[in-house]
Amino acid sequence: MNVRDLIAIDVHTHAEVSSRQPPDVLWQPFEEAANVYFKAGKRPTITDTIAYYRERRIGLVMFTVDSEFQIGARRISNEEVAEAAAENSDIMIAFASIDPHKGRMGVREAEALVKGGIVKGFKFHPTVQGFFPNDRMAYPLYEVIAEHRLTAIFHTGHSGIGTGMPGGGGLRLKYSNPIYLDDVAADFPDMTIIMAHPSWPWQDEALSVCLHKPNVYIDLSGWSPKYFPAQLVQYANSQLKQKMLFGSDYPLIAPDRWLKDFENAGFKPDVQPLILKENAIRALRLEAAA
Ligand SMILES: [Zn+2]
C-alpha cells in the first residue's frame, strides 16, 4: 500500500456482493433488517467498493464475515477478497474471516491464507459467530495471527445485525462486550487487536482495555461521529490519541458522510490526521511491510 499517496485509511469495510457466487437466501432477512436499522440501500459489489475508494484516494481494509456456523449463511470466500487486494495492492488490504467454531479446519485455512502473503488480518464478529472472544476454542486461530504479527479485528458493542428481528435473529449481544478482549490482549501481546465501533453500551470498558493494553486499538466505524459518546471523543483527544482509527463500516456508513461529520464532532485538529491515517500505519505495521 502506498500510504503516502492516500488521504486516509479506512480499516473497516465489508465485502458485500460477490462477483462469483449468488447472494445466499438465508442471509436475506438479516440484510433486510440491517437495511432498516442503518437506512442502507442497495449493496455494492467488491469491484464497486474498490472503485469508490480509488476515486477518493482512501485506502481500505476489506473483509467478509463468516457466519456459517451459527447462521448457516454462506460467506463470500476469503480468496475472492484476497485476490481483489492482490490486484489493487496500492490501496487495498485483505483481512479474512474464519469462524473459530471451525476448529482445526479453520486453523488450516488461516495458515494457508497467511502463507499466501496477501491476508494481513482476521475479522471476528462474536455476536454473529456466537462465541466469547476469550473462549479457548478460538486460541489456536489467534496463535496463527500472533505468530505472524498480524491483526485481529473484533466487532464490539450493540449489533445492527439482528436488531428488530424476532429474538434479535437469535443473536446475543453479550458476546460483544469488549471486556472479554482484555483476556485476549493479555494472552496475545504480539497480536494487534482492533475493537470495532463505539462499544455502546460498554464504551467505558473499551476505553479502559485500550488504555491498559498497548496492542489494542479502537476503530470509529459504524456510527456517524455526530453520535459518538462524549468520553470516546474525550479520550481520542487525549490519552488515546495514538490508539483510534478511522473506519466507516462501508457500505452501511459511507466515508463521505463519516468524514463530513468527523470534522465537526469535537476532534482536535492535531488529532484528526492521527485518526485518519497515521495510527493505522502503526497499528497495521504498513511501513515495515512496504
Ligand atoms: Zn462492520
Side-chain angles (χ1 to χ4, degrees), residues 29-276:
F30 288 92
E31 183 168 311
E32 280 158 22
N35 283 346
V36 173
Y37 180 76
F38 285 99
K39 303 185 186 75
K42 194 174 166 289
R43 305 298 174 97
T45 64
I46 292 173
T47 314
D48 294 340
T49 301
I50 297 165
Y52 176 98
Y53 280 85
R54 184 174 292 289
E55 209 176 289
R56 290 162 177 77
R57 285 198 301 126
I58 300 176
L60 73 155
V61 173
M62 189 194 283
F63 39 75
T64 183
V65 179
D66 180 356
S67 61
E68 293 181 349
F69 179 85
Q70 184 172 246
I71 292 177
R74 186 168 297 110
R75 64 183 166 168
I76 289 177
S77 83
N78 289 317
E79 286 77 11
E80 182 174 352
V81 178
E83 283 165 32
E87 285 160 17
N88 296 278
S89 60
D90 56 327
I91 58 162
M92 176 174 169
I93 291 171
F95 279 11
S97 184
I98 299 172
D99 189 317
H101 289 97
K102 289 183 174 165
R104 298 305 310 173
M105 191 56 98
V107 172
R108 275 179 71 183
E109 183 185 353
E111 281 167 344
L113 288 165
V114 169
K115 204 183 267 175
I118 304 297
V119 166
K120 300 295 180 201
F122 288 79
K123 154 80 169 189
F124 297 92
H125 198 310
T127 289
V128 162
Q129 294 172 330
F131 78 108
F132 285 107
N134 63 351
D135 188 326
R136 288 297 189 275
M137 168 186 74
Y139 274 37
L141 214 40
Y142 301 156
E143 277 159 22
V144 177
I145 302 169
E147 186 196 336
H148 297 275
R149 296 168 61 78
L150 301 178
T151 299
I153 184 167
F154 290 85
H155 173 93
T156 67
H158 184 85
S159 175
I161 304 297
T163 294
M165 295 174 74
L171 306 183
R172 288 152 215 277
L173 297 169
K174 64 182 177 186
Y175 295 125
S176 291
N177 185 329
I179 200 66
Y180 301 112
L181 290 168
D182 188 53
D183 283 339
V184 182
D187 293 338
F188 295 93
D190 291 332
M191 182 168 82
T192 298
I193 293 173
I194 300 175
M195 300 191 288
H197 318 305
S199 303
W200 180 80
W202 306 290
Q203 188 60 69
D204 292 330
E205 284 86 336
L207 292 169
S208 168
V209 175
C210 187
L211 188 59
H212 199 255
K213 302 291 189 293
N215 54 326
V216 175
Y217 291 77
I218 290 174
D219 93 27
L220 300 171
S221 70
W223 294 36
S224 159
K226 235 194 267 184
Y227 305 118
F228 285 170
Q231 69 270 46
L232 181 60
V233 178
Q234 183 198 322
Y235 275 87
N237 278 330
S238 55
Q239 279 170 294
L240 295 178
K241 69 165 82 157
Q242 315 269 9
K243 305 291 286 292
M244 301 230 187
L245 310 169
F246 162 46
S248 63
D249 213 8
Y250 187 82
L252 297 174
I253 305 274
D256 288 349
R257 173 177 177 211
W258 194 99
L259 291 166
K260 186 170 151 282
D261 292 351
F262 177 64
E263 278 173 32
N264 304 310
F267 292 92
K268 289 182 182 165
D270 61 311
V271 165
Q272 293 188 17
L274 304 180
I275 293 173
L276 290 177

